[in-house]
Amino acid sequence: MTIGVVGLGSIGQRHIRNLVDLRGTRHPIVAYAPTPGVVYDRRALIGGQLVDFVKAYGIARCETESDLFAYRPDVLLVCTPTSHHVEWAHKGLDHGCHLLIEKPLAHRLTDGLYSLDRWDKTRHLHVGYQLRYHPQLWAIRQMIRQGRFGRILSADLVWHEYLPETHPWEDYRTRYAATQSLGGGVLACYSHEFDYATILFGVPDQVIASPQIGDEVLMLETDVETAVTVSWRYDQAPVCERVFFDLSFAHREPVRHLVLHGTRCSVLWDLLTNTVTTSEYSRMTWDDAGKQSRPIEQIEVSPMDRNQLFVLEIEAFVQHCESNVEPDLEYAALDDGITVCEELEAMHQSLLTGEAIEMEVISGSA
């Protein structure tokens, strides 16, 4: 099985690195990188080393599409900027490839997005939401389904990073994340949170998004939304009535967590420390001074470092393509990717209009 990779940026290199570590030379890898010149290993650049990535990993490199498809790849990993995902997905379909498309599927709704369902069903299409391979996510969903929280009053999802420091080897202002025409912006880049919120709580009925304004945001010098507050509302028999997101490229202190507040207990999932902590209200106590306390319990679920999630993702995808047997975990399929794109469209419309957007309007216009 020959594996084609479109794009040798950070995520394309990560997938190749993991494939070589997992499979060695079992599967020939050919990469499409049209810009002339040496492609340096992004990981080595952090240490100030200039390492030719193509030579270091023994892969073939093409600078034209015709040369790429002359290798007749069975699998295509689409690792381009977001604005080119749909275009390359269709090229892969035209050549009979299995597809792993990086998230999100698209940064805007287009006819090409919905016509991706034309693929031959003997081929497989995955979307790169690797957080789905995190056992702590499914442990929390199981707690919700068991009624552990009682009635869930609210959920808060926070992801803060400082964009200039996420890829220290390059000028952040030239990255796709900071460029509107390439599909950047904090909503698209952090769409993992919308995918896992949908797993836990379902598709919202209404969304409201508003920009966060501050000196740090203004100083980033980008043409994309860099810090946004989002609210999802649910109407009919909701798992959770309101879900709130606080997403930022502008905060210097990294934070990434989920907090669920229920009538019986709360939970904190810290994705940076890989911990799930619960607090049971029924076990609350008070001391003689009237100060309250309640026991904090850490749930024993296997921690997972970030690259392990990518390893599990690529291994599940390759095994699916080789065996034609569905993976055990709920990978992100085409419909899941389209759902997140519709949520993103609603949030972008809300940012532009300052109004709440009904999801049925977005999905109904498809």
Side-chain angles (χ1 to χ4, degrees):
M1 187 170 74
T2 299
I3 298 175
V5 181
V6 182
L8 280 179
S10 295
I11 188 59
Q13 289 190 15
R14 183 188 291 273
H15 284 318
I16 291 170
R17 199 178 289 119
N18 289 336
L19 280 166
V20 171
D21 288 346
L22 285 167
R23 300 296 183 104
T25 58
R26 178 177 170 184
H27 300 301
I29 298 174
V30 54
Y32 172 74
T35 304
V38 175
V39 176
Y40 291 110
D41 187 324
R42 302 293 183 94
R43 189 168 62 177
L45 284 173
I46 298 175
Q49 298 177 295
L50 297 180
V51 176
D52 185 324
F53 183 85
V54 173
K55 290 182 178 178
Y57 285 89
I59 63 174
R61 177 187 175 183
C62 300
E63 295 185 3
T64 68
E65 293 178 26
S66 58
D67 286 346
L68 170 67
F69 288 112
Y71 279 85
R72 302 178 67 84
D74 303 282
V75 165
L76 198 67
L77 311 185
V78 179
C79 305
T80 64
T82 306
S83 58
H84 299 298
H85 285 179
V86 171
E87 169 194 353
W88 272 101
H90 279 288
K91 290 175 181 177
L93 293 179
D94 289 341
H95 288 84
C97 298
H98 300 287
L99 294 173
L100 171 59
I101 308 167
E102 271 309 310
K103 60 79 196 167
L105 270 178
H107 71 304
R108 290 291 186 270
L109 297 185
T110 65
D111 292 338
L113 174 64
Y114 291 99
S115 61
L116 286 173
D117 65 358
R118 68 183 175 86
W119 94 90
D120 178 353
K121 299 306 187 288
T122 64
R123 298 288 169 170
H124 306 299
L125 190 156
H126 291 211
V127 184
Y129 286 115
Q130 80 279 354
L131 205 58
R132 286 172 171 250
Y133 295 89
H134 205 310
Q136 292 175 348
L137 170 64
W138 302 104
I140 292 170
R141 188 174 78 162
Q142 183 67 13
M143 292 167 66
I144 292 172
R145 291 185 169 184
Q146 291 172 344
R148 177 90 175 266
F149 300 101
R151 177 186 171 196
I152 300 178
L153 304 175
S154 66
D156 297 282
L157 292 81
V158 180
W159 191 353
H160 293 169
E161 284 185 312
Y162 188 54
L163 186 61
E165 295 176 353
T166 55
H167 287 187
W169 58 84
E170 62 184 336
D171 184 345
Y172 76 93
R173 289 165 294 192
T174 66
R175 290 177 54 198
Y176 93 91
T179 308
Q180 187 177 70
S181 62
L182 295 178
V186 74
L187 292 175
C189 290
Y190 289 177
S191 64
H192 292 285
E193 297 344 66
F194 307 129
D195 180 60
Y196 91 71
T198 303
I199 290 172
L200 296 179
F201 312 115
V203 178
D205 293 295
Q206 183 191 80
V207 307
I208 303 173
S210 57
Q212 301 175 19
I213 302 298
D215 291 341
E216 298 87 353
V217 174
L218 297 175
M219 287 171 60
L220 283 181
E221 303 176 55
T222 74
D223 65 351
V224 298
E225 79 282 351
T226 53
V228 178
T229 300
V230 177
S231 172
W232 284 6
R233 193 194 76 200
Y234 295 83
D235 295 330
Q236 302 297 322
V239 173
C240 178
E241 292 183 8
R242 289 274 186 174
V243 179
F244 302 96
F245 303 84
D246 178 358
L247 310 173
S248 176
F249 281 163
H251 285 66
R252 299 300 292 262
E253 186 69 28
V255 177
R256 193 180 184 190
H257 66 231
L258 161 71
V259 179
L260 286 182
H261 299 281
T263 54
R264 294 179 183 169
C265 77
S266 64
V267 67
L268 167 64
W269 180 25
D270 191 322
L271 284 84
L272 299 186
T273 62
N274 263 301
T275 55
V276 179
T277 307
T278 64
S279 178
E280 300 280 353
Y281 302 144
S282 61
R283 298 163 66 188
M284 189 178 296
T285 60
W286 288 262
D287 62 20
D288 293 340
K291 183 179 179 180
Q292 68 177 26
S293 64
R294 56 182 180 267
I296 304 298
E297 178 185 357
Q298 191 160 305
I299 304 298
E300 294 298 325
V301 182
S302 300
M304 190 75 62
D305 75 40
R306 185 164 179 261
N307 192 61
Q308 279 181 286
L309 299 175
F310 289 98
V311 170
L312 291 171
E313 174 189 47
I314 198 69
E315 180 67 4
F317 173 64
V318 171
Q319 287 184 357
H320 194 191
C321 298
E322 288 178 323
S323 68
N324 204 32
V325 176
E326 288 285 315
D328 292 334
L329 284 175
E330 296 181 27
Y331 68 92
L334 176 61
D335 288 346
D336 302 306
I338 289 176
T339 293
V340 175
C341 286
E342 291 174 344
E343 292 165 349
L344 285 170
E345 181 68 19
M347 289 180 279
H348 280 121
Q349 286 191 20
S350 183
L351 277 179
L352 288 172
T353 63
E355 299 177 351
I357 304 297
E358 302 293 332
M359 280 300 301
E360 65 178 6
V361 175
I362 301 297
S363 57
S365 64

